[in-house]
Structure formats: C-alpha cells, structure tokens
Amino acid sequence: MPARGAVMAELRYLRAVNQALDDAMAADPSVVLFGEDVGEAGGSFGVTRGLRDRYGPGRVRDTPISEATIAGAAVGAALSGLKPVIEIMFMDFTTLVMDAMVNQAAKAHFMFGGQGSVPMVLRTPHGGGLGAGPQHSQCLEAWFAHVPGLKVVCPADPVSAYGLLRAAIDDPDPVIVVENKALYAMKVEAPERLEAIPIGKASIVRPGRDVSIVAYGAAVKTARDAAERLASDGVEAEVIDLRSLQPWDEAAVLASLSGTHRLVIVHEAVEAFGVGGEIAARMADIGFDELDGPIVRVGAPFMPVPFSRALESAYQPSVERVVAAVRRTLE
Amino acid sequence: MAASAIVMPKLGLTMTEGLLASWRVAPGDRVRNGDVLFVVETEKIATEIEAQGDGRIETIEVAAGATVPVGAVVATWSGGGAAAAVPEATPEAAPVASQPRSSGGERIVATPLARRLARDAGVPLATLVGGGPRGRIRARDVEAAIAARAAAPATSDAPAAGDRRAATGMEKTVARRMAQAKQTIPHFYVLAEADVTELLKLRDDLNAMEGLTRISINHLVMAAVGRAIVRMPEINVVWDEDAVVQLAGSDVGMAVDSGRGLFAPVVRDAGGRSLDALARDVDALVARARTGQLSGDDLAGGAIAVSNVGMHGASHLVPIINPGQSAILGVAAIKPVFRPDANAQPTLCREIGLVLACDHRVHNGVAAARFLDCVTGILQHPLSLLRG
Amino acid sequence: MEGVATVTTRPSGELNVSGAPDAAGLLDLYGQMVLIRRCEERLGALFADGEVPGFIHLSIGQEAVSVGVMSALRRDDTIASTHRGHGHAIAKGLPLEGFFLELLARDEGLCRGRGGSMHVADTSVGMLGANGIVGAGLPIALGSALAHQQLGRDAVAVAFFGDGALAEGVVHECFNLARLWNLPLLFVCENNGWSEFLPSSKQIAFKLGELSAAFGLPHVAVDGNDVAAVAAAAADVVGKVRAGGPAVLECVTARMRGHFEGDAQKYRNPDEIARLAERDPVGIAARQLLKTGIDEAELTEVAETVERRVEAAVAAARGGRDPDFEAAKAGVYARAGGGHG
Ligand SMILES: Cc1ncc(C[n+]2csc(CCOP(=O)(O)OP(=O)(O)O)c2C)c(N)n1
Ligand SMILES: [Mg+2]
C-alpha cells in the first residue's frame, strides 16, 4: 500500500521493454531497431510504440516478412558498427533465423579469432496461455541456450524486462531476449530507478530453507504461488528467478541447493531436453553431495502447445504440479 | 537354444506387481532346477523364486530394487521349460523402464547428502534404516541415528567385534520391514494376564478324543482372537496412507519362525470357523512356511496377528506390529500363580501373559483395552470357542 | 541460366561500362591475379601434402572477379565472401602471412586457427568473412550496407555469391530489402556455371538479369575472366552504388579446378576441362599486357616477386604455433562471465 496516500506509479512489462529501448536509443545513436511492424504500427504487441516518431524511420525500420534476412542483416550491421535490436514477432518464427543466429552471430567472434563481435539483440515473445495454438506459443529458448556464442535471457517481471534488455543492448555479444506474451500486461509498482541488470545473475525472489525452486519467465509466478501454498503447510520454499539462461547463475543455484538440499526446476518450455535438464545435470554433478532427494523438473509435456483452453491449461505447468514436485523431493 | 523369458511371477490372486528385492544369479550363471534365482517382495512377504529346470541365465532385465508388473520379463535364460513360478504371464507387460538399472545385487539406497553426513559422522549406512521411498536413507534418517547415538549411554561406536557374515536377502528384507514397522507405526501396548486353567482343561478334553486334529494353546488363542474380532469388528481396521481401511471377516495373522526367516501368514475367518477347521488351517500354514511354499495370498489381509512364544518360557512378549496390520498379540508362557479367590483365599491359577501392541493411528487405549479384555474373557471362559 | 557458362562476349548491361584500366593499372591487376593464383596453387599442394587441414575450395580461374571488383573498392568498403573466398580475401588486402598462418591452423593466423579456409576474415580491411553457408553472406553484407547508410558513411558493401546460391531464399529477401531501403549494396554473382557437381542450369530456372529486373535492381553482366572488363564494370557500378542504391554485377567465369581439392570431376566433360585453358584469366591478361608493349621479362619478374612473397608466407606459416585450447575456449564470447557453458 502506498504510504501517505501517495499515488504510486505502476510499471507494466510491455512499457518496461519500451522504456528500455527508448533509453538505450537515447543513450547510444548506434542502437537501431528493425523487424516486422515495429515502426509505424509500433510492434505487433505495441512494444515499440512511439519510437519511430522519436528516433525516425532510419533507426526504427519496418522490414518485410524476411526473418532470415532480418537476423542476417543484424549480424552484418553489428559487425559494421551498429547495435541492432531486432524483433521476431513470435518465438515460433525463430526457426527462420537459425542460420544467422547459430552459424553467423554465435560464431563470428570466435571464428574470426576475436576480431570484433556481434553486439546484436534479438527480442522475441514466447509462451502460451493465450490460445495462440501450436505455431504461436512455443518456448524454444533451450535451442539458443545450446549454442556456444549466444546469450539468452528471459525476464519474469517488468523490472527485469527493463534491466535485462538494457544489459543485452550494452553487451558486445549476441543476446536473445525472450519475453513472455502473457506477461506483457503484468504490472508492478514502479521502482525509483530502472537500471541494467547484469546478464548471468539470478535473483532470489523468495527465501526459504526446505527446497529450492528454480524458475524463469512466467514460471516464476507459478513457483511463487506454489511456495505460498506450501508455506501454509510449513514447507518453506526458496524461489530463484534465473533471469539469464545462458550464461546461467550456477553459483546461485548451488548456494541455494546447499541450504535446502532439494531442487525443483520449473519452466513453461517442454521438459524433455530443456533448460531444466541442464540445471539438473549440473547440480547432480557439482551439487551431488548436497542432494537429499531427487531433482524434479516441472515443464510442459512432450507435445505441441494445444489450442483449446481446456487442453492448454492442462499443458502449462500449474501450481499443483509444482507443489506435487516439491512433495516428491521431501519424501 | 533360444533364450526365453523369466517373468515376474504372480504370487497370489491379488498381486499385480512385485518388488524384485535381490538377484541370486548373474548373467552367465548356470542354474539347476530348484536353484533360487531372485527374491520378490510383495506387501507381505519375501519369496524366493526358483528355477523350474536347468539352464543358463542370459540377461538380467530388471535391476534389484525395481518394482515391475506381474508378467514383466525380469531376465532371460536358455533352459528347459518356462521359468520360475509363472502363472498367467501378461505378454504386454514390460519392466518399468524408469527404474534404474544396476548390476543387481543388494545396494543401500541413500541420498547423496545422507551418504556424506553418514561418512562424516562415521555411521555405517548399513546400520541405518531409511524412511524414504524404497527405504531410501535420507539426511534426516542419518541425523536421527546420530542423535540417538549421542543420547545413548557411552558405548563404543563400532559394532560389536565378532564374526561377520553378510546377511541373506531374506534377512535383510525382514530387517528392513521390522525396522520400518517399528519406526513408522506409533505403537502402544496394553497388557493383561489371562487365567487359562479352564482353557487347559478344554484342550486336554478335546485332545483326549482320538483321531481328531490335535488342538494347541496356540490354536485356541487364534480362535479367541478371531471370535473377539467378530464381537468388536471396529478393531479390524488398518492404516493405509492417510486412509483408515475397515476389513471384513475375522482373519488373524500369526508369526511363524520358519527357520528361513520370519513370516506372518493369515488364517481366514478365524472367528467363524470350527476349532478343528481352524487348527487344520493353522497347521497347514505353518508347514507351508517351513517349506517355503507360502503364496502371496497366504500372507495377505488381516489387521491383527498373534505371536506366541509360550513354549520358550518368557513371561511376556512385547511384539512389533507386522507392516500393513494394526495390532499384534504377544502370547507368553503359562505360569502357575496364586490368586485370591472370592474369599480372599489364595488359589492356584495358571496364567498366561498377554501384550497387545496397537497402532495408535487407528486404535486408542480404551478400544485396545476392551479388545484385550474380550480376548481374555474368551480364554477364561473357553466353552464359547466350541460354538463355530 | 541456359548456356551462360559458355558466354565469353563482353556484357551489355543496363549500366554503361567505361574506364578500362591503362597498361600500368592492368599490370597491377595482373600481379594481384598471379598472387592469388600462386597462393591457390601452393595451398593445393600443401593440402595434398596434408599440411592444410579440413577441405578447401580454390578460386583458380576466377581471380579476375576478385581482383577486378576489389580494384573498385576502398579499404573502408566491406565485403561478405563465400566458401570459395581466398581470392576475395587476398584481393581485399589481407596480410599474406596471417592468411597462410590461418589456413595452416596456426595460433598467429588471422583467426587464431579457429576459422580456417571457410572463415577467413579481417575486419580491419572490411573483409567480414568467408562463409561455410551458401548464401549466408548476402544478409550480412546487407546489414553492413545498412550500417554504412545509417551511420552516414559513404562506404559500400559487397556480397559475393555463386550461381548456385541463387536458389537460396535469402537472395530473394535481400534483393527486395536492398531495393526497398536503397542500400549501398553491390551483389556480385560469380557465375561459374557449376554448383558443386551439377551445372547450375539444372538448378536455376531463371536468368539473373530477369530476377534483378523484377526487383528493380540494375544488372550488369561482364566477362568475369577478363580482369580489365571486370575492373571497368566494377568501377562504374560501384560508383553508382556508392552514389545511390543497390545493383547486381554478374561475372561470368569458370571454375578451373574441382569443387574442392581432391574432387576428381568425373561429372565434367573432359572437352570442357580441356578448353578451360583458353579462358584462363591470368593468360588473358598476360596476352593483353604483351599487346600493350609490356615484355615477357616484366611478367616473369612479377611471377618471381609473387613466388618470393608466397614462399615467405608459407615458411612463416609453417613456423607458427598450434593454438592453445584454453585460450580458444575462453574466446567464445567478447564478454564472458557467469554460469556454465
Ligand atoms: C546452406 C548450404 N547448403 C549446401 C552447402 C554445400 N555446398 C557448398 S558449396 C555448394 C555449391 C555452391 O555453388 P555456388 O554457389 O555456385 O558456388 P561455387 O562452388 O560454384 O563457387 C554447396 C551446395 C553449403 N555449404 N551450405
Ligand atoms: Mg557456381
């Protein structure tokens, strides 16, 4: 509750992304935006609204529907002095940017022996819950996190949406910023200052002693809700918002596991071969002697994202599933 | 010869899956008819599964510790005939794939943290009992053991010196189940002495009739407990994972030391059958236990069991409830004692010490005392036992 | 592209080709072609001896394209190259020793032994990399042109690609976008008639001129084996690109070797291979020079100078170190840190 009747400003996720772009463009004239409908229309989700008017059609460019070239051009532009921020309208469409991201952006710094780098950002929304169906809902971040040379962040709230995007734009390497469609409307009390949040650092959003729940993106909220539910049964879960997936904050997860000895990993992406699998494998290795129960993942089942609300709500990780997973670690 | 399958046998009507507790053979081993291949644990029993012919073990498909459905292939062998006790193989059943595959053999299941704590504290894991799934030893089990050791009078930490031998699979199973029962069931006890003067007389009278089944005190106690259950069916309940299960009938279990391990076969309808029928059943079960022929069904059911050590002179036996049941009556030796009669004059009585151990999750002291009183009453006025 | 591989006539593009180099200029171009030729031959030999790891695609027969186009570029102009990129790299001015050190996978190589033949780059001379992915250079050059335009530089970007690459989707995306944004981008198609082991006529259903026209891009076709012609055409078209908007330069040339070193070319008509010598761009330039009055001795001197330079570079490359694994592993990111990779 705001003190003394003051009206607290609120910050929405969508607005935070817009603000980060705005501030970055104001701070550095080499930052340019391009993508489908990011200019005149202000973005399919409204993320880039107002920026074309402020920075002109040269720095905020509408592109045709040419994802491979949008991403490939970002690589070339980044190698030639710009800091491009491109938008791929839905993460599902990143299938079409794979060569540019995987073979070009990710490798240039390494395969050119350290000459130059590719300071580009690819922003794209993932996630379901909106009935968008199998080709407009996928969470494909693990693909990118698998590629050496790429960085991947996934903000779970407006403050990190701002902070991680600023850090991504400042970063000399290619960064995939995965936003979540369902979070665009999320709002929080605006903090006094918005600032960059370092890539690779997790945040403990709820301390606890009994079990560590690691999550990212929209799953952070699910994990928090599960923690509240568990607290009423006397189980204190520590919830960690990973924030960055590549690099991810191994030290923070290990430190938490060393306190709780139990680990649950939650994400909206398909569970099999995912980010959770990587975290589990690393903790089973470096955190082996800390474990007092199985590491349990909660992710989507091995199936495409379904359309019907009845199907999709069963598909997405739920508070109940997280609670059940925590209980398994406590057996 | 082509390899054929050895499957998880169905060891009783109601058995749907079994825990493959341990392997006695390894791939490549030659086996003869009757050799023990592996041990299966169901709810109630560990059963040794024997080869049904001569042959060679080819592969082991299911690791010790895994639970697989009845009919699942647990191993392959080249040998004569079908393998093991194999009724009703269900071909579609497959081993539970998500169980870890290890090289078989006994291994202690413990979490990494528990292992580290135990190592640091010098507590041998083998001396611990796990409270987790599959008997997994968790940190809290180790911590409890460390705390218990700290609280115990100062003795050497090391287990007693002496000849060590590895426990058999059966011994380990019994050990684990007993420890688990003692640790997880909140026991309480009610004690009574029953005057069995009349009971002994009845037994002797019955046994004086030639050609009929010999009746023992044990038979009579089993019958008394059965009849008491009929009178107090509310006592015939068990605790099952947050549920209270009311059992029908008046089945009564009994502890049998088979010489191969401890078993608790169950006599059906002990409250409703004639003494003769009951005695025949009891004797048959004991014989099957001694020869290792108990089936899963023999061991299923019953809330209450009887453990009788009367022949060994103890004054009381404070028993441990069998896992899956809720009470057990410890029966001790018959002792001559003087009791005051109605005129406060000492009279010679023959008494038997009874201890009823109860699971406090489903029983309370009053009900337990009433039930024990009921049993005592029947034993003291045994003619009611003759009514079927 | 029916019959294109046999076209030897001068082009008749929509743009006016003028300003062929004078004798001194031609001698200079000739020297660069001889340098590329000698480097390629030397690499072929080193490859056969097992000194060059991986596999290499030589540009022998196509030197006039690299040399001619690059003669029209400045140091701050950028290029994106292909799998057959040695000629582009050398003509763009990569240091020869660094180039050989890289091809011999040495730590002192331009890419520290991490890239090799298909990834040679030198951003300091605007060479944004050879590329192992057919067609991938086009969007990169397009982005580079975008940067030139956006940052107000009057530099141009050049995308080199083969005729086989015309079948890749990004070609069409890039033609469209370059026109749409009027980028300072020159598309150079090295039409050598082959795409690996198939004639490109069996893969490409359209003519590049017509495709260019469809996108509103000026298209110039030139005899890619005549360095003077390429240089003249490039000077003209690059000037126009620099002044205002994208264009396509099609250099009709010939691949004188196999697709990669070790390719026995069983799929190729022996007559075609036999006739390749007539079209050798180095020979064509030599004959042109002799006609202008330059004598054999001067050409021999060029060859000897080149020989010394190449042998020095090879010797230096052989003396290089093996790269250090830990250093390479630490070189994945420009700013590493955090997490586990
Ligand atoms: C995306 C992709 N597909 C296929 C290949 C394999 N490949 C390498 S070179 C080549 C032929 C390319 O022909 P062209 O573009 O005409 O170049 P040229 O070899 O004739 O110089 C092919 C198919 C590749 N490297 N990249
Ligand atoms: Mg070709």
Side-chain angles (χ1 to χ4, degrees):
Chain A
M1 271 285 119
R4 274 177 265 119
V7 180
M8 271 286 180
E10 62 179 31
L11 180 67
R12 281 183 188 273
Y13 194 109
L14 191 95
R15 175 86 193 113
V17 179
N18 180 274
Q19 189 69 49
L21 294 171
D22 195 346
D23 292 353
M25 293 187 83
D28 183 348
S30 65
V31 177
V32 297
L33 311 189
F34 51 97
E36 293 155 26
D37 280 328
V38 301
E40 286 181 36
S44 298
F45 295 93
V47 171
T48 51
R49 197 170 295 155
L51 298 175
R52 183 171 180 275
D53 290 344
R54 200 154 316 141
Y55 298 100
R59 289 182 68 191
V60 183
R61 292 181 187 232
D62 281 314
T63 66
I65 310 160
S66 303
E67 287 80 8
T69 292
I70 294 170
V75 178
L79 284 170
S80 303
L82 290 179
K83 287 186 176 167
V85 180
I86 60 169
E87 176 177 299
I88 298 296
M89 198 183 293
F90 286 83
M91 187 164 216
D92 313 68
F93 310 162
T94 60
T95 48
L96 295 159
V97 306
M98 279 301 177
D99 178 62
M101 298 314 296
V102 175
N103 286 322
Q104 316 298 335
K107 309 226 178 343
H109 176 74
F110 175 85
M111 79 183 170
F112 298 167
Q115 303 175 53
S117 69
V118 183
M120 68 171 285
V121 171
L122 185 159
R123 285 183 41 250
T124 191
H126 77 173
L130 305 177
Q135 295 175 340
H136 289 76
S137 307
Q138 294 169 87
C139 298
L140 303 174
E141 53 275 8
W143 290 0
F144 293 99
H146 186 66
V147 178
L150 298 180
K151 295 176 180 176
V152 185
V153 300
C154 188
D157 57 71
V159 174
S160 16
Y162 179 92
L164 290 170
L165 182 51
R166 286 303 302 270
I169 295 172
D170 283 346
D171 201 275
D173 294 308
V175 185
I176 321 293
V177 179
V178 185
E179 295 159 9
N180 189 303
K181 297 189 276 295
L183 294 184
Y184 277 143
M186 179 186 198
K187 60 180 178 206
V188 293
E189 269 179 18
E192 272 185 11
R193 253 172 70 81
L194 284 166
E195 50 196 9
I197 291 174
I199 292 176
K201 291 272 170 278
S203 139
I204 295 180
V205 295
R206 184 189 196 284
R209 53 155 206 269
D210 295 325
V211 57
S212 304
I213 308 180
V214 173
Y216 65 85
V220 172
K221 166 104 173 51
T222 315
R224 285 175 107 144
D225 292 349
E228 290 308 319
R229 177 117 26 121
L230 287 159
S232 62
D233 291 347
V235 175
E236 290 301 331
E238 181 149 292
V239 178
I240 298 176
D241 174 1
L242 215 47
R243 287 183 166 172
S244 293
L245 311 183
Q246 182 61 267
W248 62 280
D249 199 341
E250 188 176 277
V253 176
L254 181 61
S256 178
L257 173 64
S258 303
T260 63
H261 307 294
R262 289 169 197 93
L263 180 59
V264 169
I265 306 149
V266 192
H267 53 57
E268 193 180 331
V270 166
E271 194 171 291
F273 295 86
V275 171
E278 173 65 18
I279 295 173
R282 277 301 286 170
M283 289 302 130
D285 177 351
I286 60 174
F288 184 73
D289 285 329
E290 297 298 342
L291 287 167
D292 198 26
I295 304 175
V296 185
R297 289 173 297 166
V298 179
F302 199 60
M303 66 187 274
V305 186
F307 162 61
S308 144
R309 181 180 289 277
L311 297 175
E312 196 179 21
S313 57
Y315 176 89
Q316 292 193 300
S318 62
V319 171
E320 290 69 31
R321 284 182 57 209
V322 177
V323 168
V326 166
R327 296 228 180 275
R328 273 195 60 209
T329 69
L330 290 166
E331 273 177 4
Chain B
M1 188 183 296
S4 53
I6 301 178
V7 301
M8 172 61 71
K10 191 166 169 77
L11 299 172
L13 249 190
T14 56
M15 174 175 166
T16 55
E17 59 177 25
L19 169 67
L20 205 158
S22 62
W23 279 103
R24 296 298 168 74
V25 293
D29 284 1
R30 298 222 148 264
V31 294
R32 312 202 60 120
N33 190 9
D35 285 355
V36 176
L37 302 177
F38 56 93
V39 179
V40 172
E41 261 181 58
T42 56
E43 275 283 276
K44 290 282 164 63
I45 185 186
T47 306
E48 292 178 331
I49 304 302
E50 295 170 357
Q52 301 292 297
D54 299 348
R56 203 177 87 107
I57 301 298
E58 299 296 341
T59 61
I60 300 270
E61 300 292 338
V62 171
T67 299
V68 295
V70 166
V73 176
V74 298
T76 59
W77 77 325
S78 42
V86 213
E88 307 162 45
T90 45
E92 73 277 18
V96 175
S98 61
Q99 291 295 338
R101 250 167 208 255
S102 70
S103 53
E106 287 291 327
R107 88 172 265 276
I108 297 170
V109 181
T111 69
L113 180 62
R115 286 178 189 278
R116 193 187 81 195
L117 292 176
R119 194 166 58 232
D120 292 351
V123 177
L125 280 177
T127 65
L128 299 180
V129 177
R134 298 169 61 215
R136 183 190 297 147
I137 301 168
R138 299 141 322 155
R140 72 188 89 152
D141 300 321
V142 181
E143 280 156 1
I146 295 170
R149 189 177 64 179
T155 55
S156 163
D157 277 0
D163 283 350
R164 285 173 77 89
R165 70 168 170 81
T168 65
M170 185 79 72
E171 287 169 328
K172 286 186 200 167
T173 304
V174 170
R176 183 163 68 237
R177 296 175 63 75
M178 286 298 118
Q180 195 185 339
K182 184 73 182 180
Q183 285 195 336
T184 58
I185 301 175
H187 286 65
F188 74 95
Y189 307 92
V190 286
L191 288 74
E193 316 293 331
D195 178 350
V196 291
T197 319
E198 291 296 313
L199 190 74
L200 290 171
K201 228 173 120 274
L202 176 67
R203 180 196 63 181
D204 294 346
D205 289 351
L206 290 171
N207 285 340
M209 297 181 240
E210 293 280 323
L212 290 171
T213 316
R214 283 190 62 80
I215 303 294
S216 68
I217 288 294
N218 195 48
H219 295 146
L220 294 166
V221 173
M222 293 288 292
V225 171
R227 275 126 172 108
I229 292 172
V230 171
R231 291 186 205 172
M232 278 185 67
E234 65 272 24
I235 210 79
N236 206 18
V237 292
V238 294
W239 179 257
D240 180 27
E241 290 194 12
D242 294 345
V244 177
V245 182
Q246 173 73 53
L247 303 186
S250 57
D251 298 350
V252 177
M254 62 179 168
V256 180
D257 182 4
S258 70
R260 304 153 54 101
L262 207 56
F263 289 105
V266 178
V267 182
R268 302 295 157 204
D269 198 16
R273 316 263 300 284
S274 75
L275 267 182
D276 275 350
L278 183 71
R280 275 196 302 275
D281 274 9
V282 168
D283 293 350
L285 281 173
V286 171
R288 288 218 285 285
R290 300 234 156 103
T291 53
Q293 288 172 341
L294 286 174
S295 76
D297 275 350
D298 288 338
L299 293 138
I304 302 179
V306 170
S307 181
N308 185 352
V309 295
M311 44 301 226
H312 305 299
S315 74
H316 288 88
L317 168 68
V318 181
I320 298 176
I321 300 166
N322 286 310
Q325 299 185 338
S326 69
I328 185 166
L329 183 69
V331 181
I334 298 165
K335 309 166 291 256
V337 290
F338 284 109
R339 292 287 185 212
D341 67 8
N343 303 319
Q345 291 304 307
T347 48
L348 182 64
C349 297
R350 319 249 282 166
E351 281 187 4
I352 194 164
L354 300 175
V355 178
L356 183 68
C358 294
D359 180 346
H360 218 322
R361 294 173 298 186
V362 289
H363 301 307
N364 60 38
V366 174
R370 279 184 48 227
F371 181 72
L372 184 58
D373 191 46
C374 186
V375 173
T376 312
I378 294 169
L379 292 175
Q380 297 188 153
H381 305 287
L383 280 181
S384 67
L385 290 174
L386 295 179
R387 296 209 304 264
Chain C
M1 231 169 271
E2 236 14 61
V4 142
T6 57
V7 170
T8 56
T9 52
R10 284 291 172 93
S12 58
E14 298 119 68
L15 293 179
N16 225 355
V17 175
S18 61
D22 60 14
L26 186 58
L27 185 61
D28 180 46
L29 299 180
Y30 173 79
Q32 288 186 57
M33 288 203 295
V34 173
L35 175 64
I36 294 171
R37 171 66 53 90
R38 191 59 204 138
C39 286
E40 295 286 46
E41 286 171 349
R42 201 67 187 84
L43 283 169
L46 290 167
F47 179 85
D49 291 346
E51 287 191 64
V52 173
F55 50 102
I56 54 176
H57 308 85
L58 300 185
S59 64
I60 289 178
Q62 304 182 193
E63 295 90 343
V65 179
S66 294
V67 171
V69 170
M70 246 56 85
S71 72
L73 298 186
R74 303 190 313 228
R75 189 185 169 94
D76 63 340
D77 293 330
T78 46
I79 67 166
S81 171
T82 68
H83 58 286
R84 201 177 299 287
H86 301 164
H88 307 145
I90 294 166
K92 192 71 174 76
L94 267 70
L96 212 53
E97 290 194 358
F99 174 79
F100 271 94
L101 281 157
E102 183 58 29
L103 271 104
L104 268 67
R106 304 298 193 214
D107 194 34
E108 302 88 339
L110 274 166
C111 303
R112 305 203 57 192
R114 299 175 196 166
S117 166
M118 267 185 288
H119 307 290
V120 186
D122 184 351
T123 52
S124 70
V125 299
M127 161 59 171
L128 302 183
N131 215 306
I133 308 297
V134 167
L138 282 91
I140 292 175
L142 183 133
S144 188
L146 171 66
H148 296 326
Q149 183 188 68
Q150 188 59 38
L151 296 173
R153 303 187 289 232
D154 76 337
V156 303
V158 179
F160 286 93
F161 55 97
D163 43 338
L166 287 172
E168 287 284 6
V170 284
V171 170
H172 307 258
E173 292 187 6
C174 286
F175 276 21
N176 181 46
L177 205 43
R179 178 74 283 166
L180 207 59
W181 287 350
N182 209 31
L183 294 173
L185 175 58
L186 176 63
F187 296 99
V188 176
C189 177
E190 289 187 78
N191 182 352
N192 62 12
W194 288 91
S195 170
E196 277 193 358
F197 321 120
L198 265 190
S200 39
S201 58
K202 291 193 177 163
Q203 300 190 16
I204 308 297
F206 56 87
K207 294 195 190 336
L208 179 53
E210 287 168 7
L211 184 77
S212 307
F215 285 100
L217 293 174
H219 168 260
V220 181
V222 66
D223 179 352
N225 287 20
D226 179 345
V227 72
V230 176
D236 196 50
V237 74
V238 165
K240 289 181 170 140
V241 167
R242 203 182 299 284
V248 178
L249 177 62
E250 179 176 4
C251 301
V252 180
T253 179
R255 192 186 84 199
M256 292 176 66
R257 298 282 267 248
H259 171 57
F260 50 80
E261 278 307 276
D263 173 6
Q265 302 201 75
K266 293 257 165 53
Y267 51 89
R268 227 168 158 180
N269 183 336
D271 291 349
E272 185 208 340
I273 298 179
R275 282 202 312 272
L276 287 172
E278 299 162 23
R279 300 200 55 222
D280 178 355
V282 177
I284 292 173
R287 289 195 290 279
Q288 288 169 348
L289 282 167
L290 293 173
K291 270 194 219 143
T292 64
I294 291 192
D295 62 24
E296 290 272 5
E298 276 179 275
L299 301 188
T300 311
E301 198 189 311
V302 166
E304 284 169 0
T305 312
V306 161
E307 184 68 14
R308 278 194 299 278
R309 280 187 67 192
V310 172
E311 284 315 309
V314 170
R318 283 175 163 157
R321 290 187 306 270
D322 272 343
D324 173 57
F325 181 73
E326 289 307 323
K329 198 155 158 280
V332 176
Y333 292 96
R335 184 189 293 163
H340 169 76

